Amino acid sequence: MPNTILVGAQWGDEGKGKVIDVLTNQVDIIARFQGGSNAGHTVIAEGKKYVLHLIPSGILHEGKVCIIGNGVVMNPLDLIEEISMLRGYAIVPAGRLFVSCRSHMVMNWHRAIDKADEALRSAEKKIGTTGRGIGPTYCAKVSRTGLRVGDMLSATFFDRIREQVAEANARLKVMNAEPLDADEQVRIYKEAADFLRPYIADTAVMLAEADKAGKSILLEGAQGTMLDIDFGTYPFVTSSNPTAGGACTGTGLSPRRIDRVVGVIKAYTTRVGAGPLPTELEDAIGEGLRQRGGEFGATTGRPRRCGWFDAVVGRYSCMINGVDFWAMTKLDVLDAEPVLKICVAYECDGKRIETFPSDLDILSRCKPIYEEMPGWLSETSKVTHYEDLPVKARAYVERLVHLIGGRLGVLSVGPARETTLRLGL
Ligand code: GDP
């Protein structure tokens, strides 16, 4: 398979985990390029359900090499927990899981500050952080005070921990939050460093060498395009670039070595946490999508906000990421809807808008312009070939793809691996 970037096209939770799992057979190396353990991929394989926050789901496939790239912020304690969980299932990550020495580490004080910060924000200012320290860690990275995975191998690592705990405690005090004990933190991270040492590598070099040797690479993003720090609904976004550009900066693989981009997109819309969502359904239809789609966060269990498919978002996402192929997911969740609405454009102050506005004030005044299509009212999850889908279901999917551009490569009609219809991907 050619070198591929895979991104979420909406607000995350598009079902990337399952699509990656299906594409993994065709690649040699899978690398995560941004985010942290605030994202959760859920994969169901051979009847077992695995929730992975940091490690690429490729680890569930024997012989595949998995990389946590430099763009990821990595909580070493979460990583240890995940490695241990996998060992519990008789999966041995050693020798095929590598963490970039340049990846920044989420430390306990970043988490403490994240939680204290969000608690101090007024209800309308809350950004919906998962409180896992991701934001403060990216802040530290950009402020040039971060700790990188490679620092665990340095003689000064524990002095830097003491220094950082003292600084964090001063901040936590002002925020009325509990301070941390420096000795305890040194002990915790000494143990972590010993455990993780064999997994640390210069993964940019590994990728370049693998590419040169003709191996194929899948670069996978977490979250989604609309949560991108630059192109998402700022400030209700994540602290990194989940879009295709982030795949190269987040792994070190040259943009010239990328062959194609796959966008994962749900057949409707969801979003977790605060921020604008033009097609949101705050009624029984929205509740139905939430229940049938199991739309509750993999990490926090928070109910996701649900709405109709937004083609303005899809088009924007296609443009920003340069999507070649779509992997459309969760079509089956719409099986019981008699009528489906598709947002084809927005209306704002009497004008029709076809492109996604950057200004949230404008966006908040945007009303979706809907087109309606009849539902197919039959079960799609047993269908194994695209041509066997109800005509109305195909018409819906094809209309969505026509509106957003790109080509359909995969259609997913259920959570299990087998419920994946392949169309050229
Ligand atoms: P990710 O972060 O993009 O991987 O998304 P999540 O793992 O948070 O959410 C995807 C959820 O949807 C998981 O529970 C999957 O098992 C499930 N899922 C994926 N594809 C489909 C599908 O086509 N139909 C249904 N019903 N569920 C799906």
Side-chain angles (χ1 to χ4, degrees):
M1 184 168 105
N3 290 342
T4 303
I5 294 175
L6 181 140
V7 294
Q10 295 151 314
W11 278 274
D13 310 314
E14 296 91 350
K16 294 178 291 298
K18 181 192 158 178
V19 178
I20 293 163
D21 186 55
V22 168
L23 295 183
T24 293
N25 280 335
Q26 308 168 28
V27 299
D28 303 297
I29 303 183
I30 304 100
R32 228 345 252 279
F33 65 79
Q34 48 71 235
S37 41
N38 53 347
H41 285 323
T42 313
V43 180
I44 299 176
E46 274 118 43
K48 283 194 207 113
K49 181 171 168 176
Y50 303 87
V51 180
L52 294 165
H53 297 292
L54 277 169
I55 305 178
S57 50
I59 205 75
L60 306 175
H61 297 245
E62 222 172 293
K64 304 291 173 183
V65 171
C66 291
I67 285 177
I68 298 179
N70 57 279
V72 174
V73 292
M74 201 267 317
N75 184 326
L77 308 178
D78 288 349
L79 182 61
I80 292 172
E81 206 172 286
E82 251 172 57
I83 292 173
S84 308
M85 181 270 286
L86 289 170
R87 283 179 180 167
Y89 287 111
I91 295 165
V92 183
R96 56 189 192 93
L97 171 67
F98 299 94
V99 188
S100 167
C101 51
R102 295 184 179 86
S103 165
H104 278 251
M105 290 194 289
V106 182
M107 308 300 273
N108 282 334
W109 45 100
H110 296 132
R111 287 187 71 142
I113 287 171
D114 200 4
K115 284 201 184 118
D117 255 347
E118 183 81 346
L120 287 177
R121 283 187 195 112
S122 58
E124 69 278 11
K125 288 261 163 73
K126 286 199 193 297
I127 52 176
T129 153
T130 51
R132 287 174 175 256
I134 312 296
T137 306
Y138 277 113
C139 276
K141 173 178 179 175
V142 177
S143 327
R144 274 81 42 105
T145 57
L147 283 173
R148 304 199 295 177
V149 167
D151 292 335
M152 285 200 279
L153 307 175
S154 137
T156 59
F157 182 50
F158 302 108
D159 295 336
R160 292 189 65 190
I161 288 183
R162 286 184 191 283
E163 234 173 70
Q164 295 213 355
V165 170
E167 279 167 23
N169 280 349
R171 280 184 68 187
L172 288 167
K173 192 169 168 200
V174 178
M175 298 157 110
N176 276 329
E178 282 289 307
L180 299 163
D181 180 75
D183 287 338
E184 193 193 351
Q185 297 307 315
V186 166
R187 187 188 55 72
I188 291 172
Y189 289 110
K190 183 168 184 330
E191 226 172 81
D194 289 341
F195 187 104
L196 292 176
R197 193 161 288 127
Y199 298 95
I200 304 173
D202 190 333
T203 52
V205 172
M206 280 180 71
L207 285 173
E209 284 175 353
D211 178 50
K212 215 178 234 170
K215 300 259 188 313
S216 67
I217 300 168
L218 175 67
L219 304 180
E220 59 157 281
Q223 288 111 11
T225 300
M226 304 314 288
L227 294 172
D228 186 278
I229 183 91
D230 289 288
F231 296 105
T233 50
Y234 192 88
F236 301 99
V237 291
T238 195
S239 321
S240 58
N241 292 111
T243 42
C248 294
T249 54
T251 58
L253 187 65
S254 160
R256 304 192 54 173
R257 302 305 307 150
I258 304 299
D259 300 299
R260 64 181 188 185
V261 177
V262 174
V264 184
I265 194 159
K266 227 179 258 196
Y268 53 97
T269 304
T270 64
R271 152 161 225 171
V272 75
L277 187 63
T279 60
E280 182 164 15
L281 288 162
E282 291 174 282
D283 57 9
I285 300 178
E287 187 54 35
L289 295 178
R290 182 153 43 244
Q291 293 303 333
R292 280 195 303 281
E295 299 295 357
F296 300 89
T299 303
T300 57
R302 280 188 287 186
R304 296 177 187 144
R305 297 156 63 196
C306 299
W308 295 120
F309 186 86
D310 187 335
V312 182
V313 167
R315 247 186 332 259
Y316 177 70
S317 200
C318 189
M319 172 188 87
I320 295 288
N321 296 299
V323 171
D324 298 297
F325 287 100
W326 291 109
M328 191 173 286
T329 60
K330 295 197 146 185
L331 185 73
D332 55 299
V333 173
L334 302 176
D335 285 353
E337 294 302 332
V339 176
L340 298 161
K341 289 193 186 183
I342 305 167
C343 167
V344 293
Y346 301 145
E347 196 219 287
C348 183
D349 305 333
K351 283 203 208 84
R352 186 181 169 104
I353 299 185
E354 306 266 350
T355 53
F356 197 82
S358 66
D359 183 323
L360 289 202
D361 264 353
I362 297 178
L363 186 61
S364 69
R365 296 200 304 278
C366 283
K367 303 262 172 314
I369 299 174
Y370 285 119
E371 181 178 291
E372 286 190 3
M373 290 189 82
W376 44 94
L377 299 174
S378 65
E379 204 184 333
T380 52
S381 19
K382 301 250 158 54
V383 174
T384 51
H385 292 98
Y386 182 76
E387 298 70 35
D388 298 335
L389 281 173
V391 174
K392 287 176 181 159
R394 273 187 287 158
Y396 177 73
V397 170
E398 283 158 25
R399 180 70 187 142
L400 300 192
V401 174
H402 177 78
L403 285 166
I404 63 182
R407 273 190 288 167
L408 187 65
V410 164
L411 183 66
S412 172
V413 290
R417 262 183 199 164
E418 307 72 65
T419 52
T420 314
L421 317 181
R422 310 284 288 265
L423 302 104
L425 249 195

